[in-house]
Amino acid sequence: MEQMEFRFKLPGKRLHGKKTVCGVVGSGNLEVIIDENITEETLFTIQTAVDHYKTVWKMVIEDFVKQYQPVGLLFTLNDNGATPAVVLLRLGQALDEFQGNHKPGSNYEELDARERIQAIFDENSFQEWLADENHYSPYLAALNLPAQADDGIVIGSASLQKNKVLVASQQKDFMGGGVGEIHGAKLTGLFKAAIASQVKAVVLLIDSGGVRLHEANAGEIAISETIRALFEARQHGITTIGIICGKNGAFGGMGIISACLDYLIINEGGRIGVSGPEVIQAVAGTNAFNAQDRALVWRVYGGKTRYLQGIAPCYVGKDVAEIRAQLIISLDKKVPINLNSIKQKHTLLKKRLQDTQGFQEEGAYLNHVEPKYAPTIFDMKDQEFIKAAKTIKKKLE
């Protein structure tokens, strides 16, 4: 890891705006944080995973400063091997957002953690917690790996149709949304804060492959602490909701957490599981699971399968407006935690095990119980699928 600073005294008026975080510390990418400096000096602080390129960095930063004249701003760059072109692109995007010129798109899968919050919840209602503090993972630094200031998760309070909620949104491109000690602590703290403030709901925008291998023990402990806090929140009458509509889905510890929530919203791209296909293949071989067979992966873990199984009660498309509408409805989908509700769930699980005995994946099972839809259901468009799925689920009740 290498750190460097570049300072500029620029003429003209100081720029003003809202603290902005743009990009993510993914492979070939970087995180850019912009805030107003306490002086008129423009300062760039850079931490990069690629050493010995200070001369190149100097040229790139000077080009950016010459073009945009960012007077009186403080830039923090956390880099994981971005090319000069990507650095300039991210700096320009971040400055646009800082000045209020950026609006997120409507495709949920393409948005980053903060953009998803901005798009789904009431306008300008989100208040990010710990935004003025940097919480870099100490474990990653010890392994000489680039870290991210928010450790891959954004938390805070927001309103949803004027209902106060707490929200956590995982950064899909930072270590696959992986949970480490700090990441998990922020999740745990969110549920504890929900109890203290008695909000309507806690909403998790889940997009994670599970616990980071780099800090596995700490991550596993964090998951268990989050689960305990989650159930305490539910016991206090707080609705807990998960949105699983991102490319990483909800695997490992986050897959377990998703099963503990009151209600799940999923789309075709979302997946839910504990052990992922690559893990199963690595341990048991391709005869047990061919992870390269993408159609098989989605028939086992995918959003359509999880909706058909009743694991995720709500299936949506990619549009944030549709997700928001279903999220508003889900605020009243609280499930009581008592002996009766647990027995009901056990009965459903027992029935599923009995009904699917001998079938290794949903496609084979559907071919047996509903051959009319089995050949085409996983290729259907969203609305056509929902209609067919409701017919199938009603028949299998």
Side-chain angles (χ1 to χ4, degrees), residues 20 56 73 109 122 135 174 184 190 234 253 272 285 329 388 391:
T20 296
V56 176
L73 298 185
E109 293 180 1
D122 295 352
H135 293 275
F174 179 63
L190 191 75
R234 288 184 61 183
I272 303 174
I329 294 171
T391 301

Side-chain angles (χ1 to χ4, degrees), residues 321-392:
E322 181 183 357
I323 294 171
R324 172 183 162 86
Q326 291 300 324
L327 181 58
I328 291 169
I329 294 171
S330 72
L331 290 176
D332 295 317
K333 298 291 185 180
K334 178 166 176 53
V335 178
I337 299 180
N338 52 43
L339 184 59
N340 186 52
S341 66
I342 293 172
K343 285 183 176 180
Q344 287 178 348
K345 179 157 281 191
H346 284 187
T347 299
L348 289 172
L349 289 171
K350 183 178 180 180
K351 183 178 185 301
R352 185 188 302 164
L353 284 171
Q354 291 172 341
D355 291 348
T356 59
Q357 192 72 33
F359 301 101
Q360 292 189 318
E361 45 93 0
E362 193 72 10
Y365 172 63
L366 287 176
N367 197 50
H368 173 70
V369 298
E370 193 55 80
K372 174 184 174 182
Y373 292 108
T376 58
I377 193 164
F378 292 102
D379 297 320
M380 289 178 179
K381 299 295 184 181
D382 290 334
Q383 293 306 313
E384 183 185 7
F385 164 74
I386 291 172
K387 184 177 179 181
K390 287 180 178 178
T391 301
I392 294 169

